[in-house]
Amino acid sequence: MKSLVIIPARGGSKGIPHKNIKSLNGKPLIHYTIDVARQIVDDEDICVSTDDKEIVQCVEDYGLRVPFIRPAELATDTAGTYEVLLHALDYYEKQGKRYDNVILLQNTSPFRTAGHVREALKLYTSSIDMVVSVKKTSSNPYYNCFEEDSQGFLHISKGEGLYTRRQDVPKVYEYNGAIYVINPESLKKMPLGKFTRRIKYVMDDLHSVDLDNMIDWKLAELIITEDLL
């Protein structure tokens, strides 16, 4: 199978300023994702989609060519990943390149490995929309997630009265943001959130760390310094 790896890297970042090129353990964050991508595909099949000249410089200093500057309308706070993926896929298809799948790798998952991506790829077939990485959620709508009724009283979100022990409730997962292996034909038809033929790839909590704010960043630093992986 031929894969196109897309690495979104917008310049603006509020939770962690200059996140994509911020140094984590002496290495720009985006380099962690590039290192993984290079173990999966050739450089010509890696697309860093960015609007930021500093990110372009950081990536090209690492020996990877940035194929285009992302259009301004795809670099706003309201621009979605879906449109960014479509734009990148269209860019390559107009050059006559066709891919069996699109691998979305976000820079906020520095502990995702090439081994994880390869395992997720093994689950992919053209008959599904997407393989997506998940982790077991610590909160479960059948057990400890509650909703408020019209009177302000809390009620269990799902299956009220059916379960009294955590070990009996259905397993629930959450996306960890690390890996998306996407069917290009499905992508052209609908956003990722509308996919119905999704298969999970389960990762542990440490490798699932997702950098959204400075608390997450400090946790990542601690994991590295304490050699917890």
Side-chain angles (χ1 to χ4, degrees):
M1 287 192 296
K2 189 169 179 60
S3 303
L4 171 64
V5 175
I6 301 177
I7 305 173
R10 190 169 66 89
S13 176
K14 294 178 180 178
I16 305 172
H18 307 292
K19 173 176 60 185
N20 288 299
I21 56 176
K22 183 176 172 65
S23 179
L24 178 65
N25 194 38
K27 180 164 129 179
L29 183 63
I30 195 170
H31 287 187
Y32 286 85
T33 300
I34 292 172
D35 286 346
V36 168
R38 280 175 158 166
Q39 295 177 68
I40 304 299
V41 299
D42 294 332
D43 279 12
E44 65 181 18
D45 298 317
I46 302 173
C47 174
V48 174
S49 174
T50 184
D51 61 308
D52 188 277
K53 291 181 179 179
E54 285 188 87
I55 294 175
V56 171
Q57 190 68 51
C58 180
V59 170
E60 296 199 335
D61 284 348
Y62 208 44
L64 180 66
R65 187 180 74 87
V66 175
F68 53 76
I69 298 295
R70 190 193 300 181
E73 64 270 20
L74 295 180
T76 65
D77 289 338
T78 57
T81 301
Y82 175 59
E83 290 77 17
V84 170
L85 293 174
L86 281 180
H87 173 262
L89 180 61
D90 181 65
Y91 172 86
Y92 285 91
E93 288 192 342
K94 284 179 176 176
Q95 297 181 35
K97 295 185 177 181
R98 294 292 182 268
Y99 293 94
D100 298 303
N101 56 69
V102 172
I103 304 174
L104 166 61
L105 298 181
Q106 301 186 119
N107 293 310
T108 48
S109 300
F111 303 135
R112 164 206 54 223
T113 68
H116 292 133
V117 179
R118 290 192 190 99
E119 288 176 356
L121 270 170
K122 288 179 182 177
L123 300 175
Y124 176 80
T125 69
S126 60
S127 64
I128 66 172
D129 297 320
M130 176 172 69
V131 177
V132 60
S133 60
V134 301
K135 66 175 182 177
K136 290 180 181 179
T137 181
S138 58
S139 299
N140 192 305
Y142 293 94
Y143 188 74
N144 61 355
C145 289
F146 296 84
E147 297 177 18
E148 192 176 52
D149 66 17
S150 59
Q151 295 177 292
F153 296 119
L154 293 176
H155 298 273
I156 196 74
S157 291
K158 296 186 71 173
E160 186 155 12
L162 294 178
Y163 305 98
T164 57
R165 304 190 310 163
R166 179 188 288 272
Q167 55 264 45
D168 295 332
V169 302
K171 291 181 180 178
V172 179
Y173 304 91
E174 62 179 287
Y175 286 12
N176 67 1
I179 305 166
Y180 302 78
V181 183
I182 305 163
N183 186 324
E185 297 310 311
S186 299
L187 184 67
K188 294 172 189 176
K189 295 175 184 176
M190 70 192 91
L192 279 61
K194 293 187 183 246
F195 288 169
T196 57
R197 299 173 299 167
R198 289 170 284 189
I199 292 179
K200 71 182 186 304
Y201 170 67
V202 183
M203 293 172 59
D204 62 78
D205 286 350
L206 281 179
H207 287 96
S208 293
V209 167
D210 183 33
L211 306 183
D212 186 52
N213 54 50
M214 285 307 299
I215 295 176
D216 298 329
W217 191 275
K218 292 298 182 184
L219 174 60
E221 291 180 329
L222 178 65
I223 290 170
I224 293 170
T225 57
E226 295 295 326
D227 197 21
L228 298 178
L229 290 172

